[in-house]
Amino acid sequence: MRAALTTAYAFGVRIDLHTHSRASDGTESPGELVRAAAAAGLDVVALTDHDTAEGWPEAERAAREIGIELVRGMEISARHDGHGVHLLAYLPDPTYPPLLAALQLVLDGRTARLPAMLERLRGLGIAIEHEDVRRVAGDAVATGRPHVADALIGLGVVVDRKEAFSRYLNPGRPAYAKRYAAPLEEMLGVVAEAGGVTVIAHPWGRHGLDRPDEATLAELAANGLTGIEVDHQDHDAATRDRLRAIARNLGLVVTGSSDYHGTGKVDHELGCNTTAPEEYHRLLARAAEAALAAGRGVPVLTAG
Ligand SMILES: [Zn+2]
Ligand SMILES: [Zn+2]
């Protein structure tokens, strides 16, 4: 059964709008992830793999089977003012050619930097081969740093992904290699044309910088940005308060999410942060508007 976007959501409904499956760098299949979300007591879950909608069909089948509401999303690797920004896109038409082309550029860039990273690791005396990464990447549509991290764990070089990133793979660390990311403003437009809405993921969580700042967020909001992810494990309480105030000033939707990766990321359990039902409602209303403005039918959610 499919639910229209106008469903009223009661208070107490638990909504998690940011999760990853093995279609990117999570450790569960999309179906397993949706089942885990239901088992964790969530009523609504969004699947937001990096730069791909590959996991959607399997997640939708599972959501229908078990009766949980699934929001189809993705987390797009974008760039703004020389900084990486993760852009969550919800309910876009994944077959819209400009969106597909933009995602393909990002995916190609991710795969293309792998040889450079492996070369650097070998330069540090670590015997790592492409095959080691391919083996752990499994079904992923693109191989990225988390897979290199998993390969390093497998080789006994590090104990977990966290150590792999902090010692080797983060920007500024010796095995880091730059890669292509989509221009942020352009992606706001492309996702809107695809009938979707956009939310900046963990806006102040990645670099320890309060950037994008309020002025920049105001510009982005004027260019169609719908919301910001305020409640995320990378934000402390003070950061959340400041971001919540900015969202209120700018009329941005406030989301909260786990950024769950299965066992691939500790302290990001399903539902550890959630989105308030009224904010979710606003997000869906904006999605309906975006779809109509793009000359598309209102997107429907998969519901059990
Ligand atoms: Zn992210
Ligand atoms: Zn994420």
Side-chain angles (χ1 to χ4, degrees):
M1 199 186 88
R2 311 202 110 189
L5 293 184
T6 48
T7 315
Y9 294 92
F11 287 92
V13 166
R14 298 187 71 229
I15 301 158
D16 186 341
L17 293 181
H18 181 170
T19 70
H20 297 265
S21 77
R22 276 208 297 270
S24 60
D25 55 347
T27 55
E28 292 163 342
S29 72
E32 287 164 351
L33 181 145
V34 166
R35 285 186 179 83
L42 292 170
D43 301 286
V44 179
V45 65
L47 177 65
T48 54
D49 278 307
H50 292 287
D51 311 300
T52 183
E54 198 74 20
W56 291 5
E58 186 188 320
E60 288 189 274
R61 279 195 298 279
R64 270 194 294 272
E65 263 172 48
I66 56 172
I68 187 172
E69 189 160 292
L70 175 76
V71 182
R72 301 178 303 280
M74 55 181 70
E75 185 176 20
I76 302 173
S77 305
R79 187 167 295 283
H80 184 75
D81 276 348
H83 291 277
V85 174
H86 282 181
L87 184 68
L88 293 161
Y90 297 106
L91 301 166
D93 171 0
T95 68
Y96 179 55
L99 177 59
L100 269 182
L103 295 176
Q104 197 55 51
L105 277 177
V106 175
L107 293 173
D108 289 350
R110 200 188 284 275
T111 301
R113 82 163 159 179
L114 187 61
M117 284 192 291
L118 298 184
E119 196 54 48
R120 284 170 200 194
L121 286 167
R122 285 193 288 265
L124 296 167
I126 298 164
I128 185 169
E129 297 298 329
H130 188 266
E131 176 56 27
D132 298 315
V133 181
R134 204 206 50 75
R135 204 180 313 118
V136 294
D139 315 328
V141 293
T143 41
R145 285 183 298 165
H147 304 115
V148 176
D150 289 346
L152 289 171
I153 297 167
L155 292 169
V157 176
V158 294
V159 296
D160 56 21
R161 282 186 179 181
K162 201 173 171 185
E163 185 188 352
F165 274 82
S166 62
R167 279 179 66 187
Y168 300 110
L169 303 174
N170 275 334
R173 304 309 300 157
Y176 179 75
K178 262 195 138 135
R179 73 178 165 95
Y180 174 83
L184 181 62
E185 285 94 341
E186 194 179 307
M187 289 318 296
L188 295 178
V190 169
V191 172
E193 288 160 17
V197 287
T198 45
V199 171
I200 293 188
H202 43 74
W204 290 356
R206 299 196 79 213
H207 315 286
L209 302 172
D210 298 352
R211 205 164 12 191
D213 61 10
E214 179 157 5
T216 306
L217 288 168
E219 256 169 57
L220 296 171
N223 285 323
L225 178 70
T226 298
I228 54 177
E229 188 179 60
V230 171
D231 291 301
H232 185 281
Q233 294 300 78
D234 290 357
H235 296 153
D236 61 20
T239 300
R240 294 180 191 207
D241 287 347
R242 291 170 59 210
L243 283 169
R244 214 180 301 280
I246 290 174
R248 202 178 306 117
N249 289 344
L250 300 177
L252 290 166
V253 170
V254 169
T255 69
S257 326
S258 62
D259 202 357
Y260 177 71
H261 282 68
T263 56
K265 205 169 189 172
V266 292
D267 194 30
H268 286 260
E269 293 315 308
L270 285 162
C272 64
N273 298 294
T274 55
T275 300
E278 61 274 24
E279 295 294 320
Y280 176 54
H281 221 169
R282 285 177 67 206
L283 188 76
L284 294 184
R286 291 284 298 270
E289 279 168 31
L292 292 173
R296 297 165 177 279
V298 172
V300 289
L301 301 167
T302 306

